[in-house]
Amino acid sequence: MDNTINRKDYDEKAFKKLLVNFLKTKPQGATQLEMVVGTGLSKDWVELAVRALLDDYPAHLETNEKHELIYVFDFDAKEESLTFLQVANKVLRGIWKGFIVFFKVWTLLMYCTYFLVNAIILILFFIVISIFALFAGYEGGFGSGGFIERVMGQGERIVQDAFALLNRRPSEEQEDDEGAVHQMFSYIFGETIPKPDDLAIEKLLLNFIVQNKGKIVAAEIVQLTGWSIRKAQEETAQLMASYHGDAEVTDEGVIVYSFPDLEDSQEINKLVETYNQKLRAKKLTEIKKREHKKLLEEHTQLLATKAENESGENIQEKIPAPQLPTKAELRETHAEEIEEAVKLGTAPIWERLLPARRMNDNDKEINRSIVSGNQFNWMMSFLSPIMLVVTFMLIVGAFKDDSDISLSFFLNKTYLIILFVIPFCYSFLFWLIPNLRRFRVNAVNRRIDAINEKYRLLGVIFDQIPGKLYKHEVLDGLQQKIVPEGKKLRNKELPQLLDQKAHELEAESMADTQGAYYIFEEVQTDLEVIKTIRNG
């Protein structure tokens, strides 16, 4: 993420697209100020982009109770004319998307086709072998002592895993589930990474300012972003220029940044509430997935326990499938957790840590099913050609004395390529690509862990304000505070890291009989003054 306020030049095409996407959610129209908060664009950029939109789409102006102009656009009345380059760009993007879909479907078809072919060959082989073994006088069939039962039991587990994967479909309980094609593609090539929001920092700060009476100080910007005091001051100057803010100096020497347009606006508050509703919906979806997974795990464990105690009986009839609570029930039982997610939207940076990169979008059960199927295909790439030859020879040999005619087909290159070379190479790549990606994912997560350690250290420092922060006391238990259990420390030089953060926050370094310590007077004064102003 670009952890800075965007200073890119005016891009009419991109900004018009942002405004159109926002205004389509506001059919009743919006003021320019609402467009600023909704898109994160500066007031000047919004004004210029709106003028350009007025040339492109039919629109009319209205006023609200505050006599502010409301722009109402009719995007359905006119189809935007496309240039040759725009048409060519759309065609190329369509071709690329089509290729991605084709590749995903091809990947799944290869997996499923060879899985089914191998399963049929395996079953046919054991049937033929068992029949001939019985005719040969073996009462227990081929492989007495339960060999067939053990092999078939293992095969049945793999088949169940694979078919459970293929039978998954998007459902009301799993709204974000894109089916087996996406799951297979994600397992091979990794998790879906959302497109970064170039204006995420601006939206975060604007949301905070709106919720806090249109005012903010440098220390709060540090809390929200993890920047140094100097960088917070530099970026706030850009923020003032973009969103028409003012700076006032209090008697204590604190610079308070004010944004009158964002203070006590009913329309802006409604816009912020809409944003908060999206946060609630996102958290509710996460809770739904978590509860569904928990219920499925409990149900699976219950089935396994019953199967051990009551082997031979129909367990599924005795234990019905779990029922997921409705959205209303989840919203009621997890109300506090959902509202906590809304507060987290403008919480300090050490409470909004960067998420770790995942290997893929799937849960463990899905991955286990995919791996089981690929292991089966890989193993059968060696066994299927042999099994098919043996099976065919036994069948032909039962009716003919000379079976040499049957070997001519099985010894040609096409047969070996179809049943051995292609499935072996496919299964090998299916295994290799995710394992190679693991090195990259681990490297990215190490960098993320290092950044999150710095954010947690910032939280430790702010917890000590006001007061003296003695270096030896902080360093004694610092690793336990900034490194989660089960993870390794990435920033090895903690004393230097503490000194660096103290310098960024312009702390004063002093010493007394207890040892060296820091005082964060500037940060402390900022927080005290802004609290007094808001409470006043």
Side-chain angles (χ1 to χ4, degrees):
M1 183 180 73
D2 182 16
N3 194 19
T4 185
I5 291 179
N6 212 315
R7 290 187 175 87
K8 63 182 178 182
D9 296 330
Y10 176 73
D11 185 343
E12 182 173 293
K13 179 181 175 182
F15 295 166
K16 281 165 60 177
K17 184 176 180 181
L18 278 175
L19 283 178
V20 168
N21 291 337
F22 170 73
L23 289 168
K24 283 183 177 179
T25 67
K26 309 281 288 185
Q28 75 281 10
T31 65
Q32 286 196 12
L33 186 57
E34 288 177 313
M35 298 179 204
V36 168
V37 177
T39 63
L41 297 174
S42 71
K43 291 189 69 175
D44 294 332
W45 287 346
V46 166
E47 185 175 350
L48 290 172
V50 166
R51 289 180 183 274
L53 281 181
L54 291 172
D55 292 332
D56 295 341
Y57 298 97
H60 66 276
L61 300 179
E62 298 178 358
T63 60
N64 58 18
E65 62 275 8
K66 292 186 178 181
H67 303 293
E68 297 171 324
L69 282 177
I70 297 176
Y71 295 80
V72 183
F73 287 87
D74 185 3
F75 296 108
D76 297 326
K78 174 187 174 184
E79 289 291 334
E80 186 176 3
S81 58
L82 299 177
T83 64
F84 173 77
L85 289 177
Q86 288 173 324
V87 172
N89 187 39
K90 281 195 171 186
V91 170
L92 289 175
R93 281 186 296 179
I95 292 173
W96 175 249
K97 287 182 179 179
F99 171 75
I100 292 296
V101 171
F102 166 79
F103 191 76
K104 286 182 177 182
V105 174
W106 175 83
T107 301
L108 182 63
L109 285 177
M110 284 284 290
Y111 181 95
C112 297
T113 301
Y114 275 104
F115 181 87
L116 293 174
V117 169
N118 288 327
I120 291 171
I121 292 174
L122 181 64
I123 293 170
L124 181 63
F125 174 78
F126 278 124
I127 290 174
V128 171
I129 289 293
S130 297
I131 291 173
F132 275 85
L134 288 173
F135 277 112
Y138 293 97
E139 295 183 358
F142 176 73
S144 59
F147 173 77
I148 292 290
E149 289 78 2
R150 290 195 301 272
V151 173
M152 294 302 291
Q154 186 72 5
E156 182 183 3
R157 183 186 68 79
I158 293 175
V159 170
Q160 287 176 345
D161 284 347
F163 277 102
L165 167 70
L166 299 178
N167 286 331
R168 287 172 63 91
R169 293 290 183 271
S171 63
E172 187 179 350
E173 289 76 16
Q174 295 167 304
E175 295 168 350
D176 59 336
D177 186 355
E178 298 185 42
V181 173
H182 174 77
Q183 291 159 358
M184 193 79 65
F185 196 78
S186 176
Y187 174 81
I188 301 174
F189 297 105
E191 70 172 337
T192 304
I193 301 176
K195 185 179 178 181
D197 187 352
D198 293 335
L199 297 168
I201 292 291
E202 286 89 332
K203 291 177 182 178
L204 168 68
L205 294 176
L206 289 174
N207 199 7
F208 181 86
I209 291 169
V210 168
Q211 295 180 31
N212 289 276
K213 299 185 177 181
K215 294 178 173 59
I216 196 169
V217 293
E220 291 177 319
I221 296 175
V222 172
Q223 287 180 315
L224 291 169
T225 62
W227 295 336
S228 65
I229 289 288
R230 174 61 61 86
K231 185 176 181 181
Q233 293 169 341
E234 291 174 353
E235 298 291 346
T236 308
Q238 176 68 23
L239 198 71
M240 288 173 55
S242 298
Y243 302 100
H244 294 194
D246 297 319
E248 303 171 1
V249 181
T250 67
D251 294 339
E252 296 83 0
V254 174
I255 301 176
V256 178
Y257 302 95
S258 302
F259 298 83
D261 291 339
L262 303 179
E263 184 178 357
D264 295 331
S265 171
Q266 189 175 13
E267 290 78 12
I268 297 300
N269 289 334
K270 288 181 180 178
L271 206 59
V272 171
E273 181 57 28
T274 301
Y275 173 76
N276 291 340
Q277 288 294 349
K278 292 181 180 178
L279 291 178
R280 292 186 182 98
K282 181 179 178 181
K283 188 63 180 179
L284 185 61
T285 300
E286 292 177 4
I287 292 172
K288 202 172 182 183
K289 286 179 62 178
R290 185 185 70 204
E291 292 298 313
H292 186 232
K293 183 179 178 181
K294 180 180 176 182
L295 286 172
L296 284 179
E297 288 175 351
E298 291 175 352
H299 185 254
T300 302
Q301 183 62 36
L302 192 57
L303 287 176
T305 304
K306 282 284 186 181
E308 291 177 1
N309 298 333
E310 304 177 19
S311 57
E313 297 185 19
N314 192 341
I315 306 302
Q316 297 286 352
E317 292 181 358
K318 290 193 171 185
I319 305 177
Q323 295 295 319
L324 185 67
T326 64
K327 280 188 176 182
E329 292 171 339
L330 288 173
R331 194 178 292 111
E332 182 178 351
T333 55
H334 296 83
E336 292 185 5
E337 185 178 353
I338 293 172
E339 289 306 313
E340 193 64 31
V342 175
K343 295 177 183 177
L344 200 61
T346 53
I349 190 69
W350 53 88
E351 295 181 13
R352 295 180 291 105
L353 299 172
L354 299 178
R357 183 72 59 84
R358 300 175 59 199
M359 281 294 294
N360 50 62
D361 296 331
N362 308 327
D363 57 34
K364 291 182 180 179
E365 286 299 314
I366 296 292
N367 287 333
R368 187 174 72 85
S369 300
I370 294 173
V371 170
S372 295
N374 188 60
Q375 288 174 343
F376 175 74
N377 282 342
W378 204 354
M379 175 187 68
M380 290 300 294
S381 67
F382 294 97
L383 299 179
S384 286
I386 301 172
M387 287 182 172
L388 197 56
V389 169
V390 172
T391 302
F392 197 84
M393 288 180 64
L394 287 173
I395 295 174
V396 173
F399 301 97
K400 282 188 175 185
D401 294 332
D402 184 8
S403 61
D404 290 341
I405 190 173
S406 65
L407 293 177
S408 61
F409 171 77
F410 296 108
L411 294 179
N412 66 64
K413 292 181 180 179
T414 304
Y415 170 75
L416 292 176
I417 289 173
I418 293 175
L419 277 185
F420 171 67
V421 177
I422 293 177
F424 174 82
C425 293
Y426 174 80
S427 297
F428 176 72
L429 290 174
F430 203 99
W431 168 84
L432 181 64
I433 294 173
N435 280 281
L436 289 178
R437 281 195 308 101
R438 192 178 301 277
F439 293 102
R440 169 67 177 169
V441 171
N442 289 340
V444 171
N445 282 334
R446 284 193 293 270
R447 292 197 294 271
I448 290 174
D449 288 343
I451 294 172
N452 285 337
E453 286 173 6
K454 295 178 181 179
Y455 290 158
R456 292 191 187 94
L457 174 57
L458 197 63
V460 171
I461 292 173
F462 271 87
D463 286 343
Q464 299 289 328
I465 299 174
K468 300 177 180 179
L469 191 147
Y470 285 93
K471 293 181 64 175
H472 67 278
E473 291 181 356
V474 173
L475 291 173
D476 282 345
L478 186 57
Q479 182 169 338
Q480 288 74 23
K481 292 180 180 178
I482 68 173
V483 181
E485 185 177 353
K487 291 201 172 186
K488 294 181 180 179
L489 178 68
R490 302 302 177 187
N491 296 280
K492 300 299 182 182
E493 302 296 332
L494 288 182
Q496 288 84 339
L497 182 61
L498 179 60
D499 291 340
Q500 176 189 338
K501 282 298 173 185
H503 176 72
E504 290 177 358
L505 297 178
E506 301 186 2
E508 297 181 28
S509 180
M510 298 183 178
D512 57 18
T513 56
Q514 297 184 44
Y517 64 88
Y518 290 112
I519 291 182
F520 299 87
E521 185 175 354
E522 183 173 347
V523 174
Q524 178 182 341
T525 305
D526 274 13
L527 296 176
E528 289 176 349
V529 168
I530 193 64
K531 183 178 180 181
T532 301
I533 290 174
R534 291 191 184 120
N535 291 338

